[in-house]
Amino acid sequence: MPWTRRHPLLIALVAAVPVLGGCASAVPVEVAPHATEPVCASVVLAVPDSLGDGLPQRDTTAQAAAAWGDAAAPVVLRCGVEPLGPTTEGCQTVETPGGASVDWVVVPDEDGGWTFTTYGREPAVELRVPSAVAAERSTAFVDQLGPAVALTEEVRSCV
């Protein structure tokens, strides 16, 4: 009897090792409350493969999410977060390379990072930039997300 017939379980385990290894590097992300909105799938499929030098895209553990950079301190996008209501926080209109503009409410995090949340778009999109990334580079890469985020419906603007 050939070796492969005597040890089918061992072969199955060996075949699963690369798959399990890939899961270990996925960035853990909490699913947004409205992540099942159909447009969120389109948004995530349209995000760039990298956000400039040193921030390649990574796999995540959540639906309607994307991540870039180091797994220990990733930049994380979640589609389907709660839309913002009226706010006194700063709202910035960011022109994108494709011509679309996206309004973002930008809030500093307690740890020195930043949270960008779309304003006037449904479903809303959130981008968290950890302090480790914010300390090393500009957050100007937000404009690269514009073409993907512009797939959501604009219902109002900053002005």
Side-chain angles (χ1 to χ4, degrees):
M1 175 185 299
W3 183 82
T4 56
R5 288 189 182 178
R6 287 183 291 170
H7 301 288
L9 180 60
L10 179 61
I11 292 170
L13 288 172
V14 170
V17 169
V19 173
L20 293 174
C23 292
S25 65
V27 173
V29 176
E30 183 179 336
V31 175
H34 307 287
T36 58
E37 290 286 333
V39 72
C40 284
S42 298
V43 168
V44 171
L45 289 172
V47 297
D49 292 336
S50 67
L51 294 178
D53 290 337
L55 293 175
Q57 190 172 14
R58 306 186 61 84
D59 290 333
T60 68
T61 60
Q63 176 179 349
W68 297 267
D70 185 353
V75 173
V76 175
L77 177 141
R78 295 187 314 146
C79 182
V81 297
E82 289 293 334
L84 296 175
T87 180
T88 58
E89 299 292 343
C91 190
Q92 303 290 320
T93 300
V94 177
E95 299 295 327
T96 68
S101 62
V102 175
D103 292 341
W104 296 92
V105 172
V106 185
V107 179
D109 295 337
E110 291 178 8
D111 67 355
W114 295 93
T115 298
F116 295 76
T117 307
T118 56
Y119 181 79
R121 292 201 172 260
E122 293 179 3
V125 176
E126 173 189 86
L127 182 74
R128 290 187 180 248
V129 180
S131 60
V133 173
E136 294 177 3
R137 64 181 68 228
S138 162
T139 57
F141 54 73
V142 170
D143 71 339
Q144 296 174 29
L145 299 170
V149 173
L151 296 172
T152 61
E153 181 182 4
E154 184 177 15
V155 295
R156 61 185 176 277
S157 62
C158 283
V159 179

